[in-house]
Amino acid sequence: MKRMISAQYFSLFAFVFNIAASSVNAEPIHTDRFGLYVVVDDMDRASAFYEQLFGVPEIQLPSLVGFEVAGGLYAVVSRETYAADAIRGDTMRAYINVADIEEAFVRTRAIAPNRLESSAVIVEGPFRFFRVRDPDNNVLEFFSIDQAPSDTQ
C-alpha cells in the first residue's frame, strides 16, 4: 500500500514537472502592440489633459481615446461605459521613458503644476523620474536612465 501511494505521488510530481517544463519551452505569445488604459470619470476633461501631454489622439470615440506613445497605445476609457466598478485613481501606473527628462518635467509642470508629486525631477541612482496625476488621480511616471560613463582608455 505504501509503495502504491509513493508511486502515485511520484506520478503526480512527474506530471506537474512535465507541465512546468513544457510551458518553459512553449512559444511566446505573438504580440502586435503593447497598450494600457486608465479609467476616467469625465472623458472631455481627461481627453484635454492627455492631448496636452501626447498630442492628437490616434483613436477618438465618445468613450475611448487612444494616444500613440512610444509605439504603444495609451487609452483613456470611460468608467461609466467600460469599468463602473473600477477603483477611482491609481488603478494603473504608466511609466514612460523620455529622451529629455528635464524638458518633459518643464512641459508637464506648465500643463499640470498642481498635479506633480514632487517639485523637481527625482534622482535614484541611474534613474531620473517624476510623477504626475491626471484629473482622475491616475499616476503617470516619466523617467530616463542615465547611461554609465563609457571607459575611455
Side-chain angles (χ1 to χ4, degrees), residues 46-85:
S47 294
F49 173 81
Y50 283 104
E51 282 183 40
Q52 288 183 325
L53 285 178
F54 301 134
V56 177
E58 180 178 320
I59 300 170
Q60 194 158 18
L61 303 170
S63 58
L64 182 147
V65 178
F67 298 88
E68 190 279 324
V69 176
L73 184 68
Y74 188 98
V76 178
V77 301
S78 163
R79 175 182 314 284
E80 180 181 351
T81 304
Y82 296 108
D85 296 335

